[in-house]
Amino acid sequence: MIYEKLEIYIAKERLNKYLNLADGNKGKAIELYRINLKHSSEMYMLLSCFEVFLRNAINIQMAK
């Protein structure tokens, strides 16, 4: 039931990638999707910090 609700809001094509990895197990597919969201949010924080560091380094070099 939860999986079917997710299909309404998330593209089936996207969810099918997780369903395939989970060998058709919808509960496992949802868990894989959640894990991906967690890792993605962690990576976003690192990417955001890197962007600030890079921008500041470029600014320092351009100011010289």
Side-chain angles (χ1 to χ4, degrees), residues 15-48:
L15 285 176
N16 282 341
K17 294 174 186 177
Y18 298 95
L19 192 59
N20 289 335
L21 289 171
D23 295 324
N25 182 319
K26 291 179 179 181
K28 188 175 178 182
I30 291 170
E31 184 59 26
L32 290 173
Y33 187 75
R34 287 181 186 170
I35 290 169
N36 184 57
L37 288 175
K38 180 179 181 286
H39 290 302
S40 295
S41 67
E42 291 168 358
M43 291 300 295
Y44 184 77
M45 183 177 64
L46 292 173
L47 182 61
S48 178

Side-chain angles (χ1 to χ4, degrees), residues 1 3 8 10 17 25 28 31 54-55 58 64:
M1 181 170 195
Y3 188 88
I8 295 169
I10 301 171
K17 294 174 186 177
N25 182 319
K28 188 175 178 182
E31 184 59 26
L54 179 61
R55 188 167 18 102
I58 291 170
K64 287 182 179 180

